[in-house]
Amino acid sequence: MSITPLMPVYPRCDVRPVRGEGCYLIGERGERYLDFASGIAVNLLGHGHPRLVQAIADQAATLMHTSNLYGMPLGEKFAQRLVDTTFADTVFFTNSGAEAVECAIKTARRYHYANDEAHRHKIISFDNAFHGRTLGTISATSQPKMRDGFEPLLPGFQVVPFNDLDAATAAVDDSTAGFLLEPVQGEGGVTPATQEFLKGLRQLCDEKGLLLILDEVQCGYARTGTFFAHEQYGVTPDIMAVAKGIGAGFPLGACLATEEAAKGMVFGTHGSTYGGNPLAMAVGLAVLEEVLADGFLDHVKAMGARLRSSLEQLIPNHDGMFQDVRGMGLMLGIRMNEAYDARGFVAHLRDHHGLLAVSAGQNVVRILPPLVIEESHIAEAMEKISAGARSFAEAKAA
Ligand SMILES: *Cc1c(COP(=O)(O)O)cnc(C)c1O
């Protein structure tokens, strides 16, 4: 037998972390990595954050799992805090991002069903989007590597170009339920929606009775410097999927909705065995306390501005290797010139300079540090990236 015990769907690299300390990961042989990937925008408090560790230990000893058949005091408390701090009136907790998007899609279809308009089921989504790996969420992307061989996918999706309001408008017909998009595309290449695009979609939704569904699984939860990215656009969704940062490493997601948008989600329409269990809720509350503490978002904004300007200074110093810096807050990307491969550069930084980043679509190196980084981490990362860019260019020339 040659198949590996872990199903070989990931081309895993040689980094084999066994411990984490703040913004660093430590490998099996004791090697240290500066972690500017954060488990792909997940570990927003870094590794081993004392408050998070304590919350998990305390709750695990008290009560880990019950059932959604019973009342959930911690869940009520956490949901209330989310309702108080966002556009939403109600929350469904999940264990992952894809499940949160699934719940968002179901909520949207069910809304139109509750309005006696069940024919309005089509979700319009966008090129280069990533919404997860379930059959429903891959149906909302156009990327062959995620879709091929899994057909037939779910009907009722149409994918159109991102940041193209005319294309989105033209795709709306009698069967449309709403739009699904990431305000800042993550996997697709750290591409923010334009102001006109997101505002335009909101306006279209208002005019035509459609639902605006935002996938803030990656760009949400303080990553861009506001609690949610849409706040920076002055646009409010009807439904929103959240995950990644919300659990800071614990598997947790959420689907948030307005009362109106959630009107179809009545008893028996949806559920989850683990979703929102006491351990997850204790984690969620602890993370939220940190994120909403005075100064946290200001810190993200300040570090984001500093990291961005440092990255921008790389561009003129590396002979056309880097094209531009994109993104918002601490969700940043450097687009590399076609002559250089972002995936190769990420591997080079990792293997030769001890820096972890992530590649993304459109030849982009994604930089997603923990949100608790300090200036010293930025300085260290910039030294590694500058040195890495020089040695990467030399290796290519040789
Ligand atoms: C990661 C991600 C998902 C999927 O989350 P999982 O927890 O892997 O299911 C969905 N949408 C976006 C924007 C993501 O970045």
Side-chain angles (χ1 to χ4, degrees), residues 124-131 140 142-143 158-169 171 179-199 201 212-215 219 229 233 326-328 331 362:
I124 298 171
S125 59
F126 298 91
D127 278 337
N128 293 318
F130 180 72
H131 299 297
S142 54
Q143 301 194 42
Q158 184 177 349
V159 183
V160 302
F162 189 60
N163 277 334
D164 183 341
L165 188 57
D166 290 338
T169 307
F179 299 103
L180 167 64
L181 75 154
E182 303 155 81
V184 185
Q185 289 189 332
E187 305 298 315
V190 196
T191 313
T194 63
Q195 180 73 29
E196 311 81 73
F197 184 60
L198 202 51
K199 278 234 146 116
L201 291 182
L212 184 63
I213 309 165
L214 294 183
D215 179 347
C219 63
Y233 290 85
R326 50 219 352 253
M328 286 155 60
M331 182 176 183
Q362 304 182 45

Side-chain angles (χ1 to χ4, degrees), residues 40 95-99 101 130-133 182 184 186-187 215-219 243-244 366:
I40 316 188
N95 313 291
S96 69
E99 281 173 274
V101 178
F130 180 72
H131 299 297
R133 298 291 198 148
E182 303 155 81
V184 185
E187 305 298 315
D215 179 347
E216 292 227 20
V217 168
Q218 189 162 150
C219 63
K244 295 203 163 101
R366 233 180 325 170

Side-chain angles (χ1 to χ4, degrees), residues 65-147:
H65 178 81
T66 55
S67 164
N68 286 311
L69 296 174
Y70 309 125
M72 198 66 77
L74 284 173
E76 287 162 12
K77 189 172 166 194
F78 184 29
Q80 184 65 54
R81 302 259 355 232
L82 289 172
V83 164
D84 289 344
T85 46
T86 65
F87 73 95
D89 302 310
T90 192
V91 183
F92 182 89
F93 290 111
T94 69
N95 313 291
S96 69
E99 281 173 274
V101 178
E102 287 277 341
C103 180
I105 294 167
K106 287 178 74 174
T107 301
R109 285 193 172 173
R110 188 81 193 180
Y111 165 79
H112 293 292
Y113 172 88
N115 285 338
D116 284 327
E117 296 189 304
H119 60 280
R120 299 176 77 168
H121 62 267
K122 183 178 82 176
I123 307 281
I124 298 171
S125 59
F126 298 91
D127 278 337
N128 293 318
F130 180 72
H131 299 297
R133 298 291 198 148
T134 59
L135 282 169
T137 54
I138 63 174
S139 304
T141 71
S142 54
Q143 301 194 42
K145 84 168 183 212
M146 290 180 218
R147 298 170 56 105

Side-chain angles (χ1 to χ4, degrees), residues 3-31:
I3 194 165
T4 47
L6 281 177
M7 194 182 275
V9 293
Y10 282 103
R12 292 172 190 275
C13 69
D14 291 335
V15 177
R16 297 170 65 81
V18 289
R19 206 168 68 248
E21 290 172 5
C23 299
Y24 297 87
L25 278 179
I26 293 103
E28 269 177 335
R29 296 180 307 279
E31 349 58 287

